[in-house]
Amino acid sequence: MFVRGKIRSIFLPRSITSNAQNGGTFFFKDTCLEDLTELDTFFENEVKTVDFIACDCVQVAEISDCPALLDLTRQITCAPTAAPTTPVLTTFLPTMKPSGIPST
């Protein structure tokens, strides 16, 4: 989530593979996340055992600890509503004869 154009809260899944040194500084330069040593540690380990969650520039243990991200995940995971259907008229489409020439 962004505040005044700068990211302050983020969810990074453990499925991300990386082994970047100073990943926080590299990926989040000029944000409050750049100074989180926990974020650097997250990026340094190629195989991650936990997700990384930061809320208002502080690492938290659960996404439920971050109202901004929790609201966002609720919006994303809501069941989609059925889209309206549009009937397709096929009565005026030509049919193909075995010869490949459309009938009239």
Side-chain angles (χ1 to χ4, degrees):
M1 301 303 300
F2 295 88
V3 174
R4 286 182 240 111
K6 300 222 177 190
I7 192 164
R8 297 184 54 82
S9 301
I10 193 165
F11 170 83
L12 298 171
R14 63 179 164 256
S15 59
I16 292 175
T17 57
S18 68
N19 57 358
Q21 298 294 317
N22 302 315
T25 304
F26 182 75
F27 295 113
F28 300 98
K29 186 168 178 54
D30 298 326
T31 72
C32 62
L33 300 175
E34 149 180 53
D35 298 326
L36 289 177
T37 56
E38 300 91 347
L39 187 56
D40 285 334
T41 302
F42 177 81
F43 280 111
E44 288 171 2
N45 296 312
E46 185 171 357
V47 177
K48 292 143 182 65
T49 57
V50 296
D51 302 322
F52 182 85
I53 306 162
C55 188
D56 287 327
C57 305
V58 177
Q59 183 182 19
V60 295
E62 298 288 331
I63 202 160
S64 59
D65 296 333
C66 187
L69 293 176
L70 190 58
D71 289 342
L72 182 63
T73 57
R74 285 183 185 149
Q75 292 172 13
I76 292 171
T77 58
C78 289
T81 59
T85 58
T86 304
V88 177
L89 300 175
T90 59
T91 54
F92 298 108
L93 296 176
T95 57
M96 295 296 282
K97 290 183 180 178
S99 64
I101 301 171
S103 62
T104 53

